[in-house]
Amino acid sequence: AQSVAQPEDQVNVAEGNPLTVKCTYSVSGNPYLFWYVQYPNRGLQFLLKYITGDNLVKGSYGFEAEFNKSQTSFHLKKPSALVSDSALYFCAVRPSALNTGFQKLVFGTGTRLLVSP
Amino acid sequence: DTAVSQTPKYLVTQMGNDKSIKCEQNLGHDTMYWYKQDSKKFLKIMFSYNNKELIINETVPNRFSPKSPDKAHLNLHINSLELGDSAVYFCASSQVKAGELFFGEGSRLTVL
């Protein structure tokens, strides 16, 4: 069964500084990897995904993530944080193998990002 | 235009009551889901339907019964509500091959 670990409950960063939110995964075969953001009292919004190809994936709001197969990681990054980036971030994984039928997307426990002015 | 819409947004009810949450998506997706987010923000899948057929049914009490009248709608009915059912319930949809889910705004259920 697949699983996702987000080792940090909270990440604090000053506005203008680079940010990294960590994610490691475990899945049989090749993974489909996702990042979502949740603002207070809102649903989850899709940020970016890795399916195949270039290990560096660019997404919404200036975020990007790097897929590292050897380290089974998919860390979320942004070169310059904004106060408005403060939110709850979820990493998610599912297997890519289509011949195994429908696969559920499994989420990590979430990391709260706080960007201070 | 709302892509995935859920109603109601808030439900407050007494233990033992029955309640329903409705979900509709206008994205043309073939797969819909119910997720539960608890007070610690953990997200857990409950059910998934593909073209009106149940394809994922996690370990969920029988008191929870999903129904998909067509592929654009997925409703959740909960019988005999318990305190532990208090959570935010999210509906989502996707095209199964693409993978990413589109979420509704959530329905916050409070059982007193």
Side-chain angles (χ1 to χ4, degrees):
Chain A
Q2 64 264 38
S3 65
V4 177
Q6 294 183 241
E8 304 150 316
D9 288 338
Q10 184 164 307
V11 169
N12 297 308
V13 65
E15 188 172 34
N17 284 357
L19 69 88
T20 298
V21 182
K22 295 179 180 177
C23 171
T24 58
Y25 67 90
S26 172
V27 70
S28 299
N30 294 319
Y32 283 2
L33 292 155
F34 305 83
W35 276 101
Y36 286 82
V37 60
Q38 185 179 27
Y39 297 99
N41 299 314
R42 303 296 301 275
L44 278 73
Q45 295 178 35
F46 169 71
L47 276 180
L48 51 81
K49 68 180 178 183
Y50 171 82
I51 302 296
T52 186
D54 194 345
N55 289 343
L56 185 64
V57 178
K58 294 189 183 297
S60 307
Y61 312 122
F63 284 94
E64 57 190 29
E66 186 163 14
F67 171 61
N68 186 317
K69 188 171 184 176
S70 63
Q71 296 186 3
T72 62
S73 67
F74 190 55
H75 301 331
L76 182 70
K77 301 183 180 188
K78 187 173 182 181
S80 178
L82 300 172
V83 172
S84 57
D85 292 330
S86 299
L88 188 57
Y89 289 81
F90 290 95
C91 183
V93 69
R94 53 160 278 196
S96 64
L98 293 177
N99 63 354
T100 57
F102 298 99
Q103 297 292 335
K104 60 187 177 185
L105 192 61
V106 173
F107 285 84
T109 51
T111 299
R112 191 166 300 280
L113 175 66
L114 285 177
V115 182
S116 54
Chain B
D1 288 343
T2 304
V4 181
S5 59
Q6 305 178 219
T7 54
K9 193 171 172 66
Y10 299 98
L11 305 93
V12 180
T13 189
Q14 301 287 331
M15 271 197 307
N17 285 351
D18 303 339
K19 287 293 178 186
S20 292
I21 307 171
K22 295 186 176 182
C23 179
E24 175 182 4
Q25 55 97 1
N26 63 5
L27 297 167
H29 289 163
D30 52 18
T31 307
M32 295 184 73
Y33 311 78
W34 280 110
Y35 277 81
K36 179 181 181 181
Q37 187 174 46
D38 64 21
S39 58
K40 294 186 179 180
K41 305 299 184 182
F42 296 158
L43 269 166
K44 193 164 168 22
I45 191 166
M46 301 173 69
F47 302 103
S48 177
Y49 273 75
N50 177 262
N51 286 322
K52 302 194 297 176
E53 181 185 347
L54 182 64
I55 56 170
I56 294 174
N57 185 351
E58 292 293 283
T59 307
V60 177
N62 290 340
R63 299 181 294 103
F64 290 79
S65 52
K67 275 206 178 129
S68 182
D70 55 61
K71 72 174 192 176
H73 295 84
L74 179 61
N75 304 323
L76 183 65
H77 187 75
I78 315 170
N79 290 326
S80 303
L81 279 157
E82 300 177 357
L83 292 176
D85 298 331
S86 295
V88 181
Y89 293 85
F90 286 100
C91 178
S93 71
S94 73
Q95 283 295 110
V96 66
K97 292 187 178 181
E100 68 264 32
L101 273 59
F102 291 80
F103 283 82
E105 292 292 285
S107 297
R108 182 178 294 276
L109 172 64
T110 303
V111 183
L112 304 174

